[in-house]
Amino acid sequence: MTEEGAFRRNFEVLGEDFYNAGRVSTEIKEILQQVGVAATTVRRVAIAAYEAEMNVVMYARRGTVCLELTPELVHLLVRDEGPGIEDIELAMQEGYSTATERMREMGFGAGMGLPNIQKNSDRLVIHSTAGVGTEVEIEVRF
Amino acid sequence: MKLEEVKRILECEVITGHDRLDTEIKMVCGCDLMSDVLAFIKADALLLTGLVNRQAIRTAGVADVPAVVFVRGKRPDEETVALAEEKGLPILVTNLLLYEACGRLYSQGVPGCEGR
Ligand SMILES: Nc1ncnc2c1ncn2[C@@H]1O[C@H](COP(=O)(O)OP(=O)(O)O)[C@@H](O)[C@H]1O
Ligand SMILES: [Mg+2]
Protein backbone atom coordinates (compact mmCIF):
# COMPACT_ATOMS: atom_id res chain seq x y z
CA MET A 1 0.00 0.00 0.00
CA THR A 2 1.56 3.27 -1.08
CA GLU A 3 -0.07 6.63 -1.20
CA GLU A 4 1.07 10.01 -2.49
CA GLY A 5 1.97 12.42 0.28
CA ALA A 6 1.86 9.83 3.04
CA PHE A 7 4.35 10.07 5.90
CA ARG A 8 6.77 7.17 5.72
CA ARG A 9 9.65 5.93 7.85
CA ASN A 10 11.79 2.80 8.00
CA PHE A 11 13.36 1.14 11.03
CA GLU A 12 15.79 -1.74 11.41
CA VAL A 13 15.36 -4.58 13.90
CA LEU A 14 18.10 -7.09 14.73
CA GLY A 15 17.46 -10.70 15.68
CA GLU A 16 18.37 -11.61 19.28
CA ASP A 17 18.97 -7.97 20.16
CA PHE A 18 16.97 -8.12 23.39
CA TYR A 19 18.73 -5.02 24.68
CA ASN A 20 17.11 -2.80 22.05
CA ALA A 21 13.91 -4.81 21.69
CA GLY A 22 10.97 -2.42 21.89
CA ARG A 23 12.94 0.63 20.83
CA VAL A 24 11.36 0.82 17.37
CA SER A 25 7.81 0.49 18.73
CA THR A 26 8.58 3.16 21.32
CA GLU A 27 9.84 5.47 18.57
CA ILE A 28 6.74 4.80 16.47
CA LYS A 29 4.59 5.59 19.48
CA GLU A 30 6.41 8.89 20.01
CA ILE A 31 6.01 9.86 16.36
CA LEU A 32 2.25 9.20 16.47
CA GLN A 33 1.94 11.20 19.70
CA GLN A 34 3.84 14.09 18.15
CA VAL A 35 1.54 14.30 15.14
CA GLY A 36 -1.47 14.28 17.45
CA VAL A 37 -2.98 10.83 16.88
CA ALA A 38 -5.60 9.95 19.55
CA ALA A 39 -4.16 8.18 22.60
CA THR A 40 -6.28 5.02 22.21
CA THR A 41 -5.15 4.63 18.59
CA VAL A 42 -1.52 5.29 19.51
CA ARG A 43 -1.75 2.58 22.15
CA ARG A 44 -3.21 0.02 19.73
CA VAL A 45 -0.48 0.69 17.16
CA ALA A 46 2.24 0.59 19.82
CA ILE A 47 1.08 -2.77 21.19
CA ALA A 48 0.78 -4.32 17.72
CA ALA A 49 4.17 -2.92 16.68
CA TYR A 50 5.83 -4.13 19.87
CA GLU A 51 4.58 -7.71 19.47
CA ALA A 52 5.67 -7.74 15.82
CA GLU A 53 9.05 -6.27 16.73
CA MET A 54 9.52 -8.86 19.51
CA ASN A 55 8.78 -11.64 17.04
CA VAL A 56 11.57 -10.40 14.76
CA VAL A 57 13.95 -10.18 17.72
CA MET A 58 12.98 -13.65 18.96
CA TYR A 59 12.67 -15.65 15.77
CA ALA A 60 14.36 -13.89 12.86
CA ARG A 61 17.90 -12.81 11.92
CA ARG A 62 16.94 -9.29 11.03
CA GLY A 63 14.01 -7.27 9.88
CA THR A 64 12.62 -3.90 8.93
CA VAL A 65 9.56 -2.01 10.06
CA CYS A 66 8.01 0.43 7.62
CA LEU A 67 5.64 2.95 9.14
CA GLU A 68 3.22 4.75 6.85
CA LEU A 69 0.73 7.35 7.95
CA THR A 70 -2.18 8.46 5.79
CA PRO A 71 -5.11 10.67 6.79
CA GLU A 72 -7.19 7.53 7.41
CA LEU A 73 -4.84 4.99 8.94
CA VAL A 74 -1.53 3.81 10.29
CA HIS A 75 0.11 1.12 8.22
CA LEU A 76 2.97 -1.07 9.45
CA LEU A 77 4.89 -3.49 7.29
CA VAL A 78 7.20 -5.76 9.29
CA ARG A 79 9.46 -7.85 7.09
CA ASP A 80 12.09 -10.25 8.27
CA GLU A 81 14.70 -12.69 7.08
CA GLY A 82 14.34 -15.80 9.18
CA PRO A 83 12.85 -19.26 9.51
CA GLY A 84 9.38 -18.15 8.41
CA ILE A 85 6.13 -19.58 9.73
CA GLU A 86 5.07 -22.93 8.29
CA ASP A 87 1.52 -22.99 9.57
CA ILE A 88 0.20 -19.45 9.97
CA GLU A 89 -3.22 -20.57 11.20
CA LEU A 90 -1.58 -22.56 13.99
CA ALA A 91 0.73 -19.66 14.87
CA MET A 92 -2.30 -17.36 15.18
CA GLN A 93 -3.86 -19.54 17.89
CA GLU A 94 -3.71 -18.18 21.44
CA GLY A 95 -1.13 -20.10 23.43
CA TYR A 96 0.75 -21.59 20.50
CA SER A 97 4.44 -20.81 20.86
CA THR A 98 7.83 -22.18 19.90
CA ALA A 99 9.63 -19.70 22.15
CA THR A 100 12.69 -20.92 24.04
CA GLU A 101 13.27 -20.76 27.79
CA ARG A 102 15.40 -17.64 27.34
CA MET A 103 12.58 -15.83 25.54
CA ARG A 104 10.15 -16.81 28.27
CA GLU A 105 12.52 -15.33 30.81
CA MET A 106 12.15 -12.05 28.94
CA GLY A 107 8.40 -12.25 29.57
CA PHE A 108 7.43 -13.31 26.06
CA GLY A 109 6.56 -16.64 24.50
CA ALA A 110 3.04 -16.98 25.89
CA GLY A 111 1.74 -17.45 22.37
CA MET A 112 -0.30 -14.26 22.64
CA GLY A 113 1.72 -12.05 20.28
CA LEU A 114 -0.07 -12.59 16.98
CA PRO A 115 -3.52 -12.69 18.67
CA ASN A 116 -2.60 -9.40 20.38
CA ILE A 117 -1.72 -7.87 17.02
CA GLN A 118 -5.03 -9.08 15.62
CA LYS A 119 -6.93 -7.62 18.55
CA ASN A 120 -5.29 -4.22 18.25
CA SER A 121 -5.53 -3.82 14.49
CA ASP A 122 -8.24 -3.48 11.87
CA ARG A 123 -6.39 -5.60 9.35
CA LEU A 124 -3.64 -8.16 9.75
CA VAL A 125 -2.13 -10.04 6.83
CA ILE A 126 0.74 -12.49 7.24
CA HIS A 127 2.77 -13.90 4.38
CA SER A 128 5.57 -16.29 5.07
CA THR A 129 7.91 -18.63 3.27
CA ALA A 130 9.55 -21.31 5.35
CA GLY A 131 13.32 -20.83 5.40
CA VAL A 132 13.11 -17.35 3.88
CA GLY A 133 11.16 -15.00 6.10
CA THR A 134 7.92 -13.44 7.17
CA GLU A 135 5.94 -10.36 6.20
CA VAL A 136 3.41 -8.98 8.66
CA GLU A 137 1.13 -6.22 7.45
CA ILE A 138 -0.82 -4.31 10.07
CA GLU A 139 -3.42 -1.59 9.61
CA VAL A 140 -4.98 0.54 12.32
CA ARG A 141 -7.69 2.97 11.26
CA PHE A 142 -8.29 6.31 12.94
CA MET B 1 -5.37 5.96 44.84
CA LYS B 2 -2.10 7.86 44.67
CA LEU B 3 1.19 6.03 44.08
CA GLU B 4 2.30 7.40 47.44
CA GLU B 5 -0.46 5.36 49.08
CA VAL B 6 0.54 2.24 47.10
CA LYS B 7 4.07 2.72 48.39
CA ARG B 8 2.82 2.78 51.99
CA ILE B 9 0.46 -0.20 51.65
CA LEU B 10 3.05 -2.41 49.90
CA GLU B 11 5.95 -1.13 52.04
CA CYS B 12 7.87 -0.20 48.91
CA GLU B 13 11.23 1.26 48.27
CA VAL B 14 11.15 3.88 45.52
CA ILE B 15 13.82 3.30 42.86
CA THR B 16 12.86 5.97 40.32
CA GLY B 17 10.17 8.64 40.18
CA HIS B 18 10.45 10.09 43.70
CA ASP B 19 8.88 13.25 42.31
CA ARG B 20 5.95 11.39 40.71
CA LEU B 21 4.36 9.76 43.73
CA ASP B 22 1.23 11.85 43.20
CA THR B 23 0.46 9.73 40.09
CA GLU B 24 -3.16 8.52 40.23
CA ILE B 25 -3.67 4.73 40.11
CA LYS B 26 -7.13 3.59 39.01
CA MET B 27 -6.53 -0.11 38.46
CA VAL B 28 -3.92 -2.81 38.97
CA CYS B 29 -2.65 -5.65 36.80
CA GLY B 30 -0.48 -8.34 38.42
CA CYS B 31 1.39 -10.40 35.83
CA ASP B 32 4.79 -11.81 34.91
CA LEU B 33 4.10 -12.47 31.23
CA MET B 34 4.50 -9.37 29.12
CA SER B 35 2.25 -10.59 26.29
CA ASP B 36 -0.51 -11.15 28.86
CA VAL B 37 0.10 -7.67 30.22
CA LEU B 38 -0.23 -6.27 26.69
CA ALA B 39 -3.40 -8.29 26.17
CA PHE B 40 -5.19 -7.42 29.39
CA ILE B 41 -3.87 -4.28 31.02
CA LYS B 42 -5.91 -1.11 30.74
CA ALA B 43 -4.31 2.25 30.07
CA ASP B 44 -3.43 3.97 33.37
CA ALA B 45 -3.33 0.71 35.34
CA LEU B 46 -0.41 0.05 37.69
CA LEU B 47 1.70 -3.00 36.80
CA LEU B 48 2.79 -5.38 39.57
CA THR B 49 5.30 -7.88 38.25
CA GLY B 50 8.13 -10.23 39.13
CA LEU B 51 9.64 -9.79 35.67
CA VAL B 52 12.51 -7.45 36.38
CA ASN B 53 14.14 -6.48 33.09
CA ARG B 54 14.10 -3.94 30.26
CA GLN B 55 11.08 -5.59 28.66
CA ALA B 56 8.94 -4.70 31.68
CA ILE B 57 9.89 -1.04 31.21
CA ARG B 58 9.29 -1.21 27.44
CA THR B 59 5.95 -2.92 27.99
CA ALA B 60 4.90 -0.21 30.43
CA GLY B 61 5.84 2.47 27.91
CA VAL B 62 3.99 0.80 25.06
CA ALA B 63 0.80 0.14 27.05
CA ASP B 64 0.49 3.54 28.82
CA VAL B 65 1.28 2.07 32.24
CA PRO B 66 2.00 4.97 34.64
CA ALA B 67 4.18 3.06 37.15
CA VAL B 68 5.64 -0.38 37.88
CA VAL B 69 6.03 -2.22 41.20
CA PHE B 70 8.51 -5.10 41.21
CA VAL B 71 7.51 -7.82 43.68
CA ARG B 72 9.44 -10.46 45.65
CA GLY B 73 12.14 -7.93 46.45
CA LYS B 74 13.64 -8.22 42.97
CA ARG B 75 15.74 -5.18 42.18
CA PRO B 76 16.28 -3.98 38.60
CA ASP B 77 19.84 -3.64 37.30
CA GLU B 78 21.39 -0.25 36.53
CA GLU B 79 20.52 -0.33 32.84
CA THR B 80 16.89 -1.08 33.56
CA VAL B 81 16.77 1.75 36.08
CA ALA B 82 18.40 4.08 33.52
CA LEU B 83 15.78 3.19 30.90
CA ALA B 84 12.96 3.86 33.38
CA GLU B 85 14.52 7.20 34.28
CA GLU B 86 14.85 8.11 30.61
CA LYS B 87 11.17 7.33 30.10
CA GLY B 88 10.10 9.10 33.31
CA LEU B 89 8.58 5.89 34.64
CA PRO B 90 8.35 5.46 38.42
CA ILE B 91 9.59 2.08 39.68
CA LEU B 92 9.00 0.75 43.18
CA VAL B 93 10.14 -2.49 44.82
CA THR B 94 8.28 -4.48 47.48
CA ASN B 95 9.37 -7.62 49.30
CA LEU B 96 5.82 -8.98 49.10
CA LEU B 97 4.94 -11.82 46.75
CA LEU B 98 2.65 -11.02 43.81
CA TYR B 99 -0.51 -12.48 45.35
CA GLU B 100 -0.07 -10.70 48.67
CA ALA B 101 0.76 -7.39 46.99
CA CYS B 102 -2.29 -7.57 44.71
CA GLY B 103 -4.48 -8.67 47.63
CA ARG B 104 -3.50 -5.71 49.76
CA LEU B 105 -4.35 -3.21 47.04
CA TYR B 106 -7.56 -5.03 46.10
CA SER B 107 -8.74 -5.04 49.70
CA GLN B 108 -8.19 -1.27 49.74
CA GLY B 109 -10.63 -0.95 46.86
CA VAL B 110 -8.32 -0.73 43.84
CA PRO B 111 -9.93 -2.86 41.11
CA GLY B 112 -8.27 -5.16 38.61
CA CYS B 113 -8.36 -4.96 34.81
CA GLU B 114 -11.20 -7.46 34.48
CA GLY B 115 -13.98 -6.82 31.98
CA ARG B 116 -14.38 -4.34 29.17
N1 LIG C 1 8.53 -13.38 12.54
C1 LIG C 1 8.43 -14.67 12.81
N2 LIG C 1 9.28 -15.56 12.26
C2 LIG C 1 9.19 -16.89 12.52
N3 LIG C 1 8.27 -17.43 13.32
C3 LIG C 1 7.39 -16.59 13.91
C4 LIG C 1 7.41 -15.19 13.69
N4 LIG C 1 6.40 -14.63 14.39
C5 LIG C 1 5.77 -15.63 15.01
N5 LIG C 1 6.35 -16.82 14.73
C6 LIG C 1 5.90 -18.16 15.19
O1 LIG C 1 4.56 -18.08 15.64
C7 LIG C 1 4.46 -18.46 17.02
C8 LIG C 1 3.40 -17.62 17.72
O2 LIG C 1 3.79 -16.26 17.74
P1 LIG C 1 3.17 -15.27 18.82
O3 LIG C 1 1.69 -15.33 18.72
O4 LIG C 1 3.80 -13.94 18.66
O5 LIG C 1 3.55 -15.93 20.21
P2 LIG C 1 4.97 -16.08 20.92
O6 LIG C 1 5.92 -15.12 20.28
O7 LIG C 1 4.68 -15.75 22.33
O8 LIG C 1 5.37 -17.50 20.73
C9 LIG C 1 5.87 -18.26 17.56
O9 LIG C 1 6.11 -19.05 18.69
C10 LIG C 1 6.71 -18.68 16.37
O10 LIG C 1 6.78 -20.07 16.26
MG1 LIG D 1 5.42 -13.18 19.83
Side-chain angles (χ1 to χ4, degrees), chain A residues 51 54-55 58-59 108-109 112-114, chain B residues 35:
Chain A
E51 289 285 11
M54 285 310 300
N55 281 350
M58 291 195 287
Y59 307 112
F108 285 84
M112 293 292 283
L114 295 173
Chain B
S35 278

Side-chain angles (χ1 to χ4, degrees), chain A residues 68-82:
Chain A
E68 200 171 288
L69 261 172
T70 77
E72 295 86 34
L73 54 85
V74 181
H75 186 264
L76 294 171
L77 182 60
V78 185
R79 278 204 195 103
D80 72 52
E81 295 166 27

Side-chain angles (χ1 to χ4, degrees), chain A residues 12-98:
Chain A
E12 306 277 331
V13 180
L14 259 186
E16 300 208 11
D17 185 2
F18 286 99
Y19 185 83
N20 288 305
R23 194 180 229 170
V24 167
S25 325
T26 304
E27 226 178 292
I28 288 173
K29 181 172 181 175
E30 286 163 3
I31 290 171
L32 297 184
Q33 283 171 331
Q34 277 162 23
V35 300
V37 175
T40 50
T41 308
V42 172
R43 188 171 186 267
R44 294 180 76 209
V45 175
I47 291 175
Y50 186 36
E51 289 285 11
E53 180 182 358
M54 285 310 300
N55 281 350
V56 175
V57 173
M58 291 195 287
Y59 307 112
R61 281 187 303 279
R62 67 163 64 83
T64 56
V65 180
C66 177
L67 164 72
E68 200 171 288
L69 261 172
T70 77
E72 295 86 34
L73 54 85
V74 181
H75 186 264
L76 294 171
L77 182 60
V78 185
R79 278 204 195 103
D80 72 52
E81 295 166 27
I85 306 173
E86 277 205 39
D87 187 340
I88 293 171
E89 208 179 306
L90 180 64
M92 283 296 303
Q93 285 177 19
E94 287 191 9
Y96 176 81
S97 178
T98 62

Side-chain angles (χ1 to χ4, degrees), chain B residues 19-92:
Chain B
D19 54 340
R20 291 186 165 219
L21 295 179
D22 60 345
T23 301
E24 189 66 30
I25 303 301
K26 295 203 181 72
M27 275 173 285
V28 172
C29 176
C31 193
D32 288 352
L33 288 169
M34 292 303 112
S35 278
D36 277 352
V37 172
L38 292 166
F40 300 114
I41 203 167
K42 301 274 169 64
D44 300 328
L46 174 71
L47 174 62
L48 265 58
T49 185
L51 185 90
V52 184
N53 63 24
R54 296 174 72 78
Q55 256 61 52
I57 310 300
R58 289 292 188 200
T59 300
V62 161
D64 295 334
V65 170
V68 176
V69 176
F70 291 129
V71 298
R72 300 176 217 130
K74 290 193 188 175
R75 307 180 59 88
D77 62 22
E78 266 175 47
E79 285 180 342
T80 304
V81 172
L83 181 63
E85 250 156 16
E86 183 193 317
K87 297 293 162 199
L89 179 79
I91 319 181
L92 287 71

Side-chain angles (χ1 to χ4, degrees), chain A residues 103-115:
Chain A
M103 297 167 190
R104 288 179 210 278
E105 277 166 18
M106 306 299 297
F108 285 84
M112 293 292 283
L114 295 173

